[in-house]
Amino acid sequence: MSRFISKKYLLPFVLITSLFFMWGFARAVLDVLNKHFQEVLQISITQSTLIQATTYLGYFLMALPAGLFITRWGYRKGVVLGLVLFGAGSLIFIPGEMMMSFGVFLTALFIIGCGLVVLETAANPYISELGERDTAASRLNMAQSFNGLGCILAPMIVGGFLFSSSEASVALPYTIMGVCVLIVAMLFTRVQLPEITDSIAQPDDRADADPGVCATIRRLWATKSFRMGVLALLCYEIAEISINSLFINYVTSDGWMDKATASQALSIGALGLFMLARISGSWLMSRVSAVKVLAFCGIFAVAGAVAVVLDMGAVSRGGLFACYAFEAIMFPTIFAITISGIPRRDVKIASSFLMMTPIGGAIGTFMMGYIADITSMSTAFIVPACGYLFVLIYSLFLETFNKK
């Protein structure tokens, strides 16, 4: 147990893990908004992908400032800042609905994205460092399982509400979420989180190293394994976010499901499978090399996406759910592998670059939406197939990337 999580860090582990649920819920709501806004605001699939584009633009632009803030002020204040931005953005849905303005909704989502990236920039490396580094992937997969729980509940609760009536208020769930988040922010102002400092640095953390931000960035980007880790995570985000965003469009495109059923299928079926796979992955990686598990999952994720592209009826539908099962461990595993070889003094800045990668979700969702508008939803799955393929290549050649 002490290798998985140090006893003195058990309470911080529990507190920070609770945040994974919150941003999982917030990100999964986006997948419901695509279909909802297409109908309520009379916009196309391609236009609705601005929902993801705007949110993940917030990730991209705020990630490095988040890393700098956390480096200067610590993990706890970083968490509080992220929660405040998250809560404030959620409450902007109130004037957005009063004006029925897509622009105001997008502004709110941009601010929410800024808040979420601050939370993730703080929480992911913090969880990774609360124990032995060789168990980091297993530990982060366990914490990320609660992210999966949030993903399950969001389409079930919010999707069920929005699709129950054409006049359902989109501001109501966001208002409730915003108030809850701000209450949690107040609680974290009272909580003491021990900092992971250079006092427990790794042997390669040279005391005389230049601590400046520019020097840190140069060190990181001079490391091939870090560069390839960022690229692999970007490709994963292209695949994962784009599939989530257009899941409802895909399963309703040929009359397989109606909107309400699709929302439940996304919640209970696809994302439920995702969470179970992440828990299983955490257990498996405490016994098997994380790189081997990543390669195995990469093979079957590619196969699942290709099956959807080929449009083979029941086989393709099974392939869609296979994507969720085999992509589940990818984010936390790639993240943990990438920062495992980085000196702890550089981890916060490294995390900020890794948390820029959800911008890939905006790119992937737009590409899928455009291809779907001019061809078909099945053909659009070529986009996540390519993303998974790069993750597979990354896992197979990781030892080469790790060579100096």
Side-chain angles (χ1 to χ4, degrees):
M1 180 65 179
S2 61
R3 294 184 70 253
F4 180 79
I5 175 70
S6 301
K7 290 183 179 179
K8 65 179 180 178
Y9 292 136
L10 184 57
L11 180 58
F13 177 82
V14 172
L15 293 172
I16 293 296
T17 296
S18 69
L19 300 176
F20 285 72
F21 171 86
M22 298 178 68
W23 77 65
F25 192 98
R27 287 177 58 161
V29 171
L30 300 178
D31 309 327
V32 173
L33 290 183
N34 280 79
K35 188 64 174 176
H36 178 72
F37 281 147
Q38 286 166 31
E39 297 183 348
V40 173
L41 300 177
Q42 297 296 302
I43 58 177
S44 68
I45 295 175
T46 304
Q47 288 173 312
S48 77
T49 62
L50 286 172
I51 293 168
Q52 277 72 23
T54 302
T55 304
Y56 295 118
L57 179 63
Y59 268 74
F60 184 78
L61 296 178
M62 190 65 181
L64 186 55
L68 296 174
F69 181 91
I70 294 164
T71 299
R72 174 67 178 84
W73 298 103
Y75 287 109
R76 185 177 65 84
K77 290 184 179 179
V79 167
V80 172
L81 173 62
L83 290 169
V84 169
L85 289 171
F86 180 5
S90 298
L91 295 179
I92 293 175
F93 265 71
I94 298 173
E97 184 168 77
M98 292 174 64
M99 294 181 281
M100 285 307 290
S101 167
F102 193 42
V104 175
F105 287 133
L106 293 180
T107 300
L109 291 171
F110 176 80
I111 296 172
I112 290 172
C114 290
L116 296 182
V117 74
V118 178
L119 290 179
E120 295 198 50
T121 301
N124 282 302
Y126 194 79
I127 290 292
S128 296
E129 296 294 331
L130 294 180
E132 298 293 334
R133 280 195 162 186
D134 61 354
T135 61
S138 177
R139 187 166 49 255
L140 190 53
N141 268 281
M142 178 58 71
Q144 286 275 358
S145 298
F146 289 86
N147 174 279
L149 181 60
C151 290
I152 290 173
L153 294 178
M156 183 188 306
I157 297 172
V158 181
F161 173 72
L162 292 180
F163 296 143
S164 65
S165 168
S166 60
E167 298 182 358
S169 168
V170 71
L172 179 58
Y174 270 93
T175 300
I176 295 171
M177 185 162 56
V179 171
C180 291
V181 166
L182 292 175
I183 291 172
V184 174
M186 292 178 62
L187 293 176
F188 266 91
T189 62
R190 305 289 183 178
V191 172
Q192 293 300 316
L193 294 179
E195 288 292 314
I196 308 298
T197 66
D198 292 338
S199 63
I200 53 173
Q202 298 297 304
D204 60 343
D205 291 6
R206 293 176 294 128
D208 59 347
D210 184 351
V213 173
C214 291
T216 297
I217 293 173
R218 285 196 298 270
R219 281 196 300 272
L220 290 171
W221 287 104
T223 307
K224 186 175 184 180
S225 59
F226 177 76
R227 297 196 305 270
M228 298 308 296
V230 171
L231 186 55
L233 210 55
L234 176 70
C235 290
Y236 163 75
E237 296 282 18
I238 287 174
E240 186 253 342
I241 294 173
S242 60
I243 289 179
N244 279 350
S245 302
L246 299 179
F247 177 95
I248 295 176
N249 284 94
Y250 173 74
V251 300
T252 59
S253 61
D254 62 356
W256 180 23
M257 299 180 188
D258 59 31
K259 293 178 299 179
T261 304
S263 179
Q264 299 303 306
L266 174 61
S267 174
I268 301 172
L271 295 173
L273 188 61
F274 182 91
M275 185 185 76
L276 292 175
R278 208 164 246 184
I279 294 171
S280 300
S282 175
W283 175 84
L284 186 60
M285 277 183 274
S286 65
R287 293 159 174 80
V288 181
S289 164
V291 177
K292 291 180 180 179
V293 176
L294 183 62
F296 175 83
C297 290
I299 292 170
F300 285 97
V302 171
V306 170
V308 179
V309 173
L310 296 178
D311 196 13
M312 300 184 293
V315 174
S316 295
R317 292 168 180 176
L320 173 63
F321 286 92
C323 290
Y324 281 89
F326 292 104
E327 74 176 13
I329 60 93
M330 289 182 179
F331 177 90
T333 304
I334 297 170
F335 189 100
I337 289 172
T338 303
I339 68 169
S340 64
I342 294 173
R344 281 195 168 111
R345 66 174 184 271
D346 295 342
V347 163
K348 293 170 184 174
I349 299 300
S351 176
S352 68
F353 281 108
L354 290 168
M355 289 317 307
M356 288 181 177
T357 59
I359 193 67
I363 297 168
T365 302
F366 176 81
M367 291 172 64
M368 277 194 76
Y370 178 75
I371 294 172
D373 278 335
I374 63 174
T375 58
S376 68
M377 280 303 310
S378 294
T379 304
F381 272 73
I382 192 68
V383 174
C386 291
Y388 292 139
L389 180 60
F390 186 85
V391 173
L392 174 59
I393 293 170
Y394 167 79
S395 65
L396 295 176
F397 292 92
L398 187 59
E399 289 187 8
T400 302
F401 299 148
N402 284 332
K403 291 181 180 178
K404 299 292 185 181

